[in-house]
């Protein structure tokens, strides 16, 4: 079973993402911000990390930057989950090492469909 | 896969309301000038989350409304704009508006308050004001429409024979987490295809870096997918990779697909399969908007939930564990033979059980306890708005916010507190010029303080305003017939008059306080919680209202008293002392009731047996005991046959199980299984027809005037 780390400061989004992914057969661990996610990711490797951008303590882009420097996460898909469809955030994310992005709002089907690009 | 999004609505509503609270708090810090670097981020993040969530869950009215807020906040956050007072006002109003929208939605009502359109227009006006700043909402919409049209055009462009896609990944593509194979697979799922792998760019062994990708692909798609669909597949890697998309031109290229795609070969597909898959992906595009389900009605909205710290739950589980062990030990003892040894061990076990039960009770109580900041947190906004309306400058100080209080008590104390704070601002604090003239700082101060004292929670509302004016109060009270002109009252007693029904000293009834809900309602609300309120005031210096509340409504410390065979419970909080009556100090007044002269005070005596029509053992005052209780700032003695134990009793509602009974606030079940009634002191005294007397000077002359 593929393991996904879902990071979002909004509990409703986190629950929605997590529920959707679990229904699709993934094992999901939740984190509420970058700091918590990084702590979890260091103890356990995941097949994919799905992170919100705007979060307290550590934002999604910093999290991705940190994760990408870890040897275990060199090739792991790191996706940003964001409403900021503006080009600057995407570019910033890519420079930090993000694999791709999913633009909010999205529905559960779109989420699962998009994961197919990087996780099979 | 269908996921019912409505199951997340309640969480979304809860967290949105929390977010709005946080936004409000930070905005108020701005208007007080105490913001820090994180403030704007917190505000932005809250708006951002609400927008994201509402979009996801299909609450378009909220999403649209929050969009303009977010745009403005983002510009402020990026330093393109200053946060002005106008912005703060608008944002605060928007918070109210959003709360309203959320509450309506959670009640299953998707209507939008009238203020929403106005506020949105106001924000748009700000955003449009400086055109160079950020894209205008209209422009954004226009752009979206443009995009939609162009995609429509592309969708219409379905007559192509197919596409030839050349994919040259960047060499370090793997390091971004992207996997070319998956992308090719994704692409081939669009329809019939032919894949060619180009391996000629693989370097010599010596130069080959194992983590790099040197492969290239050419994919021919024989399907009516659009160029956009192909672009979407490569969306994430388009910047680093070379992707060439060409229309298949010649008939020869549209040959029958190769039997199997080389190398990727994972899924040799039949035409049938690919057709279904194409339909699937089309459906996905059409479904970009989440289905708007009406929120599940009413039930969720009423869900009265409580958030409990995990430590509290843990300690509860721990406690239950202990209980189970004790229970197991006891039942084991019962199975064994009875000896004096087992008996003493059983005694130990019972003591242990008692200990466990008490701990368990405390733990359960702790779950209902919430910090008073839940109530306090609404005051910064209230104080700001009220101050603004009245043209007063106010500093609000909150102290003891972590003091915990039972949730039910908290809910019921909120309105009285609001009233008291409004009063303090409206009637207590002076206008800035008056303050300066009185040699006080221009800014008035209102302090909310809370702390535990014994088994009670004390909440203080302190202002440094002009204080209560005893002369004015007295005159007013005489005019209203509450007292007579000849009454000599201490300043304290005069101040207490403001709690009498139908009393209002505000010269002009303002919009804020004095709207008919008087201090008497505040007082009766507090008394309904078994609490008390008193006031201290000094002319020119300020006023302090002090509310005392029991920690919880579920349990009470009681004094068991006996009249004949009946056992009643008097709440321990009410009791000042219990004593044997010295007959020499008793005098009969008006031929109707006795008062006891006790250390300079006259204490009316209420005989419990008479009130409840019981037959008492004590035939004279010397045979029983007097329990002196505090009522409305005065003292009353309750005459009983005997005092029994003091113990904590669990309050059962009499109203819910039987009927409301005058003089009784509830019932409990004693250790031996009998039901015992809990006395409601205030209503008991009212029944007895006795008015308490606070001081001695009232008694001899004015007792009759007091309306006994």
């Amino acid at each position: 079973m593929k393991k996904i780390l879902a990071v979002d400061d909004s509990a409703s989004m986190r629950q929605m993402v997590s529920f959707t992914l679990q229904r699709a057969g993934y094992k999901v661990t939740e984190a509420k911000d970058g700091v918590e996610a990084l702590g979890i990711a260091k103890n356990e490797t995941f097949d994919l990390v799905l992170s919100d951008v705007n979060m307290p303590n550590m934002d999604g882009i910093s999290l991705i930057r940190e994760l990408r420097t870890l040897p275990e996460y060199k090739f792991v898909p790191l996706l940003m989950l964001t409403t900021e469809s503006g080009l600057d955030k995407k570019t910033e994310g890519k420079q930090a090492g993000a694999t791709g992005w999913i633009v909010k709002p999205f529905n559960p089907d779109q989420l699962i469909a998009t994961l197919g690009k990087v996780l099979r | 896969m269908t996921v019912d999004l409505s199951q997340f609505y309640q969480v979304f509503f809860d967290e949105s309301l929390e977010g709005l609270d946080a936004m409000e708090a930070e905005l108020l810090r701005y208007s007080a000038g105490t913001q820090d670097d994180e403030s704007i981020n917190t505000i932005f993040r809250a708006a951002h989350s609400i927008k994201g969530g509402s979009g996801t869950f299909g609450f378009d009215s909220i999403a649209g409304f929050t969009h303009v807020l977010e745009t403005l906040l983002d510009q402020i956050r990026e330093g393109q704009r200053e946060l002005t007072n106008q912005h703060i006002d608008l944002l605060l109003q928007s918070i109210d508006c959003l709360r309203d929208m959320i509450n309506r939605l959670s009640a299953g009502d998707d209507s939008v308050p009238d203020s929403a359109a106005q506020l949105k227009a106001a924000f748009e006006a700000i955003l449009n004001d400086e055109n160079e700043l950020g894209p205008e909402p209209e422009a954004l919409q226009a752009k979206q429409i443009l995009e939609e049209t162009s995609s429509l055009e592309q969708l219409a462009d379905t007559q192509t024979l197919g596409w030839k896609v050349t994919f040259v990944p960047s060499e370090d593509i793997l390091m971004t987490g992207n996997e070319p194979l998956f992308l090719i697979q994704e692409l081939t799922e669009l329809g019939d295809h032919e894949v060619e792998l180009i391996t000629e760019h693989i370097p010599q062994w010596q130069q080959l870096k194992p983590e790099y990708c040197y492969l290239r692909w050419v994919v021919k798609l024989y399907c009516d997918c659009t160029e956009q669909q192909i672009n979407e597949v490569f969306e994430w890697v388009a910047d680093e990779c070379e992707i060439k998309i060409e229309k298949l031109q010649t008939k020869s290229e549209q040959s029958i697909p190769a039997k199997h795609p080389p190398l990727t070969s994972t899924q040799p597909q039949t035409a049938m399969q690919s057709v279904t898959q194409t339909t699937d992906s089309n459906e996905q595009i059409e479904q970009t908007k989440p289905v708007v389900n009406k929120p599940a009605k009413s039930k969720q909205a009423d869900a009265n939930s409580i958030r409990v710290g995990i430590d509290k739950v843990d300690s509860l589980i721990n406690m239950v564990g202990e209980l189970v062990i004790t229970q197991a030990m006891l039942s084991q003892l019962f199975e064994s033979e009875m000896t004096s040894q087992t008996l003493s061990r059983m005694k130990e076990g019972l003591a242990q059980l008692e200990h466990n039960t008490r701990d368990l009770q405390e733990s359960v109580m702790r779950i209902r306890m919430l910090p008073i900041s839940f109530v306090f947190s609404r005051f910064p906004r209230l104080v700001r708005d009220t101050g603004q309306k009245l043209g007063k400058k106010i500093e609000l100080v909150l102290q003891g916010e972590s003091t915990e209080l039972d949730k039910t008590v908290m809910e019921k104390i909120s309105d009285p507190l609001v009233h008291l704070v409004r009063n303090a601002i409206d009637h207590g604090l002076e206008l800035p010029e008056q303050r300066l003239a009185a040699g006080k700082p221009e800014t008035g101060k209102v302090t909310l303080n809370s702390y535990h004292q014994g088994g009670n929670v004390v909440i203080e509302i302190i202002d440094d305003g002009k204080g209560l004016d005893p002369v004015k109060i007295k005159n007013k009270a005489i005019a209203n017939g509450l007292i007579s002109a000849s009454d000599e009252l201490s300043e304290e007693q005069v101040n207490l008059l403001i709690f009498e029904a139908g009393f209002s000293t505000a010269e002009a009834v303002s919009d804020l306080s004095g709207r008919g809900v008087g201090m008497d309602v505040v007082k009766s609300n507090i008394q309904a919680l078994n609490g008390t309120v008193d006031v201290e005031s000094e002319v020119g210096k300020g006023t302090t209202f002090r509310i005392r509340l029991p920690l919880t409504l579920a349990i009470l410390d009681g004094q068991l008293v006996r009249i004949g065979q009946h056992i009643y419970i008097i709440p321990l909080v009410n009791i000042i002392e219990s004593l044997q009556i010295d007959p020499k100090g008793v005098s009969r007044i008006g031929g109707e009731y006795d008062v006891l002269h006790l250390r300079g005070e006259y204490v009316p005596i209420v005989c419990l047996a008479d009130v409840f029509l019981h037959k008492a053992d004590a035939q004279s005052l010397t045979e029983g005991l007097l329990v002196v209780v505090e009522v409305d700032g005065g003292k009353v003695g309750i005459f009983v046959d005997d005092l029994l134990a003091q113990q904590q009793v669990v309050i059962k509602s009499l109203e819910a199980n039987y009927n409301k009974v005058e003089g009784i606030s509830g019932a409990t079940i004693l250790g031996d299984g009998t039901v015992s009634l809990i006395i409601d002191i205030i209503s008991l005294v009212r029944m007895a027809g006795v008015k308490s007397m606070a001081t001695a000077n009232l008694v001899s002359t004015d007792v009759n005037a007091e309306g006994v």
Side-chain angles (χ1 to χ4, degrees), chain B residues 270-483:
Chain B
T270 65
M272 280 287 274
Q273 272 177 334
S274 57
V275 167
T276 28
Q277 282 181 354
T278 321
T279 337
D280 274 357
S281 48
N282 276 339
E283 262 172 20
Q284 279 167 17
I285 286 169
E286 278 160 17
Q287 278 180 1
T288 44
K289 242 178 99 183
V291 186
V292 184
N293 295 324
K294 291 253 169 154
K297 305 239 164 170
S298 62
K299 184 112 193 189
Q300 279 183 336
D302 296 338
N304 202 351
S305 62
I306 186 165
R307 274 195 192 195
V308 181
I310 196 82
D311 62 315
K312 292 185 178 179
V313 177
D314 282 348
S315 87
L316 201 59
I317 290 169
N318 209 3
M319 225 67 82
V320 173
E322 299 266 325
L323 201 63
V324 169
I325 294 168
T326 312
Q327 185 263 333
M329 183 188 95
L330 281 172
S331 50
Q332 208 174 5
L333 277 174
F334 272 109
E335 276 164 22
S336 61
E337 213 178 314
M338 283 290 160
T339 64
S340 62
Q341 212 184 355
T342 43
L343 207 61
S344 77
R345 284 188 52 202
M346 205 174 288
K347 234 177 171 176
E348 267 171 46
L350 282 173
Q352 184 69 36
L353 192 65
E354 191 193 331
H355 188 73
N356 292 154
T357 316
R358 196 163 345 107
D359 285 353
L360 190 62
Q361 185 192 349
E362 269 170 29
S363 302
V364 176
M365 286 300 152
R366 274 183 64 212
I367 285 189
R368 292 191 57 90
M369 296 294 202
L370 293 173
I372 199 151
S373 54
F374 275 82
V375 178
F376 278 8
S377 60
R378 61 191 278 190
F379 286 102
R381 175 76 191 277
L382 181 111
V383 168
R384 179 184 181 272
D385 288 356
T386 317
Q388 230 173 26
K389 245 179 214 172
L390 297 169
K392 294 179 180 177
K393 291 190 174 174
I394 309 154
E395 180 198 351
L396 176 72
V397 181
L398 299 177
Q399 287 169 347
E401 290 171 271
S402 59
T403 309
E404 289 194 331
L405 187 59
D406 187 284
K407 186 168 181 276
T408 336
V409 180
M410 184 111 58
E411 279 162 4
K412 292 184 176 155
I413 198 61
S414 175
D415 285 344
L417 272 184
V418 167
H419 195 84
L420 287 172
V421 170
R422 278 215 177 108
N423 259 332
I425 297 169
D426 199 5
H427 304 318
L429 294 183
E430 312 91 330
L431 289 166
E433 49 270 33
Q434 289 170 337
R435 290 184 64 91
L436 288 174
K440 293 204 240 182
E442 194 183 12
T443 305
K445 193 159 128 183
V446 175
T447 308
L448 282 173
N449 186 19
S450 179
Y451 52 89
H452 280 154
Q453 195 178 60
N456 291 315
V457 173
V458 180
I459 305 169
E460 293 175 333
I461 301 102
I462 307 159
D463 70 69
D464 68 345
K466 55 180 179 273
L468 298 172
D469 183 346
V471 179
K472 221 154 128 190
I473 294 172
K474 206 170 165 185
N475 289 341
K476 175 89 184 218
I478 293 167
N480 287 4
L482 290 171
I483 54 169

Side-chain angles (χ1 to χ4, degrees), chain B residues 678-693:
Chain B
I678 302 163
I679 292 175
D680 178 355
I681 297 292
I682 294 163
S683 108
L684 174 84
V685 170
R686 207 183 303 127
M687 273 173 83
V690 176
K691 191 142 193 182
S692 66
M693 286 158 285

Side-chain angles (χ1 to χ4, degrees), chain A residues 10-12 83 94 99 117, chain B residues 1 15 48 176 232 236 287:
Chain A
S10 152
S12 60
T83 54
K94 287 232 71 159
T99 307
K117 282 192 205 178
Chain B
M1 181 179 67
E15 84 184 344
H48 181 72
T176 66
E232 266 173 19
W236 293 344
Q287 278 180 1

